[in-house]
Amino acid sequence: MKKLSGISWRDFKALPLLEKGDYFQGTPPHTLIAQQFTREKLQELCALATRIKRINKRRDGANFLKTLLCDKRAMLYFAQPSSRTYLSHNAACQILGLDTMDVRDSKTSSEVKGESPEDTIRTFSSYADMIIMRHPVGGFAERVAWMLAHTNREIPVLNAGSGADQHPTQALLDIYTLERSFEKIGGVDGKNIVFVGDLMRGRTVRSLAWMLSLYKDVKLYFVAPEPLQIGQDILDLLDAAGTKYVVTQDFASTMPIADAIYMTRIQDEWDAEGESSTIDTSAFSIGAEHMDIIKDTTAIMHPLPRRKEISTDIDNDPRAVYWRQMRNGMWIRAALILTTFGRQDEVNQYYDNYKPGA
Ligand code: NCD
């Protein structure tokens, strides 16, 4: 087991993503990048999420879940806007009985008095047993985990979105949604997954694309206006994994073969001077007029928030799974938090004894 406490920040930072993952599996485990996951781990989390969901349906089950982590507190540190990721992590904590505290705006913390973000985080770790954090600076969550590993209070860090780079827990809920959507049609292996929109700065796509490389014979289609295409770094990782992909601007021709269509909004908060407003994105949207072209089983997904890339006209089409996708986030995050504290066996035992709703 490689330890974060045993490596300098410089050496750690310079490691390839796939090697960094080994440093996050220790005690406590951190969830920082998509590349730290194995397929086995994904399957374990998906199965656990479904069990938690079923157990929670009954009052006695919900009460049991609430006892599991009632001795723990989580700090939700969200230095960037968030609705779903914040609320679903908070709800996941509540399901497992963790109390939560939050800082949702750095302006309300002592950072405005000149305290370094590192000291701020160390302060959080004095009160909390886990930090769930979103930050505009790419790699900052890794820095936080590394820094805490060099204190006497290393607590787990969950990356709830960092920069334009990583969003591993969103990728988990997307995988869970794909697994559930394709449950009756052979699972995720062999499927065509089409990503549409701002793929250059969409951290959800960057994390999910790599996670999908853990599946057999999936084919990824990256559909975007040229200036917003997926980064070469992700394509290099897919090449190394032997995952097939197509990079294109032609959304229409991918629609009929898509098993999942993953829409994203333009991430213009990263624009230097409003440059993305000059890009014609009209062809990168989906609406009622496309519903006859796509398959009956296609899952239409979106990490949300959406703008105009998905017409509200299709919200009630059974193929529009983005609302379910959002709710899945709460269950898979509960599963992740539970495994972070190593308490999954108790849920599995409870489930096997009572088989709630199975
Ligand atoms: C995404 C994000 O923050 O990266 N939102 C989310 O977590 N569901 C996607 C986005 O903001 O477009």
Side-chain angles (χ1 to χ4, degrees):
M1 188 77 62
K2 293 185 173 153
K3 282 178 175 286
L4 269 180
S5 58
I7 185 167
S8 73
W9 174 245
R10 245 178 76 164
D11 290 349
F12 173 75
K13 215 176 144 196
L15 289 175
L17 283 175
L18 289 168
E19 285 176 37
K20 281 185 175 176
D22 287 347
Y23 287 85
F24 307 147
Q25 323 285 355
T27 316
H30 302 285
T31 301
L32 299 173
I33 57 176
Q35 289 76 9
Q36 74 184 79
F37 286 90
T38 58
R39 177 153 179 186
E40 205 182 6
K41 182 77 187 175
L42 295 182
Q43 234 103 45
E44 182 197 329
L45 287 172
C46 290
L48 189 61
T50 299
R51 287 178 166 210
I52 293 173
K53 178 175 152 178
R54 288 184 180 159
I55 292 172
N56 195 65
K57 278 201 176 114
R58 281 183 29 189
R59 199 183 160 94
D60 50 350
N63 277 332
F64 158 72
L65 291 171
K66 274 192 197 303
T67 63
L68 289 171
L69 296 174
C70 63
D71 55 338
K72 306 286 182 215
R73 274 186 297 273
M75 177 70 207
L76 296 161
Y77 174 46
F78 276 65
Q80 264 188 312
S82 174
S83 302
R84 280 149 285 268
T85 307
Y86 173 84
L87 289 171
S88 62
H89 273 111
N90 202 5
C93 288
Q94 288 168 358
I95 290 167
L96 300 171
L98 280 107
D99 281 329
T100 57
M101 303 171 277
D102 66 25
V103 166
R104 296 206 60 184
D105 182 348
S106 306
K107 289 193 201 74
T108 66
S109 91
S110 280
E111 284 179 74
V112 284
K113 298 186 199 168
E115 186 172 59
S116 68
E118 281 83 0
D119 280 7
T120 301
I121 296 286
R122 198 162 172 174
T123 306
F124 295 159
S125 78
S126 306
Y127 305 121
D129 302 288
M130 172 169 68
I131 295 178
I132 301 169
M133 62 176 287
R134 168 171 284 197
H135 204 275
V137 177
F140 187 60
E142 292 172 40
R143 168 85 192 171
V144 165
W146 178 88
M147 194 203 60
L148 291 173
H150 288 78
T151 70
N152 58 4
R153 220 180 127 66
E154 183 180 3
I155 59 171
V157 179
L158 256 66
N159 179 3
S162 58
D165 187 31
Q166 287 273 354
H167 199 344
T169 68
Q170 175 74 40
L172 288 178
L173 77 90
D174 294 337
I175 288 285
Y176 185 43
T177 304
L178 288 166
E179 288 273 8
R180 293 185 60 80
S181 300
F182 301 152
E183 216 163 26
K184 296 199 177 90
I185 52 169
V188 181
D189 290 328
K191 296 292 189 285
N192 293 325
I193 317 285
V194 177
F195 292 101
V196 187
D198 188 342
L199 311 183
M200 181 175 68
R201 304 173 295 185
R203 55 192 175 191
T204 71
V205 171
R206 292 173 51 79
S207 286
L208 177 59
W210 186 84
M211 261 188 208
L212 283 167
S213 75
L214 297 171
Y215 288 81
K216 278 196 216 93
D217 302 326
V218 292
K219 191 160 176 186
L220 309 183
Y221 292 79
F222 297 107
V223 184
E226 217 241 272
L228 300 177
Q229 253 310 349
I230 190 84
Q232 188 57 44
D233 57 336
I234 298 294
L235 298 180
D236 290 345
L237 285 169
L238 296 177
D239 284 334
T243 301
K244 294 206 172 64
Y245 58 81
V246 172
V247 177
T248 176
Q249 298 198 35
D250 181 2
F251 187 17
S253 70
T254 65
M255 282 191 191
I257 52 166
D259 294 302
I261 299 176
Y262 191 102
M263 303 298 297
T264 63
R265 72 176 170 91
I266 303 304
Q267 311 274 317
D268 47 13
E269 64 269 39
W270 301 109
D271 280 2
E273 288 166 7
E275 58 273 20
S276 53
S277 62
T278 62
I279 301 171
D280 180 9
T281 55
S282 52
F284 302 91
S285 57
I286 191 164
E289 67 277 24
H290 302 119
M291 290 301 102
D292 290 341
I293 307 171
I294 66 171
K295 295 189 205 176
D296 290 344
T297 51
T298 301
I300 304 169
M301 299 170 67
H302 197 305
L304 302 174
R306 73 171 151 191
R307 289 181 185 164
K308 296 211 161 60
E309 60 278 355
I310 297 187
S311 161
T312 51
D313 296 349
I314 66 167
D315 279 359
N316 294 326
D317 189 295
R319 292 166 290 184
V321 301
Y322 31 92
W323 303 111
R324 227 177 308 149
Q325 178 186 356
M326 187 198 304
R327 194 164 162 79
N328 285 340
M330 179 173 74
W331 302 118
I332 199 88
R333 285 170 170 139
L336 178 68
I337 293 167
L338 196 66
T339 54
T340 297
F341 289 103
R343 302 293 289 273
Q344 61 276 24
D345 289 352
E346 284 155 80
V347 165
N348 286 329
Q349 244 164 42
Y350 185 97
Y351 189 86
D352 291 339
N353 288 340
Y354 299 101
K355 294 249 178 291

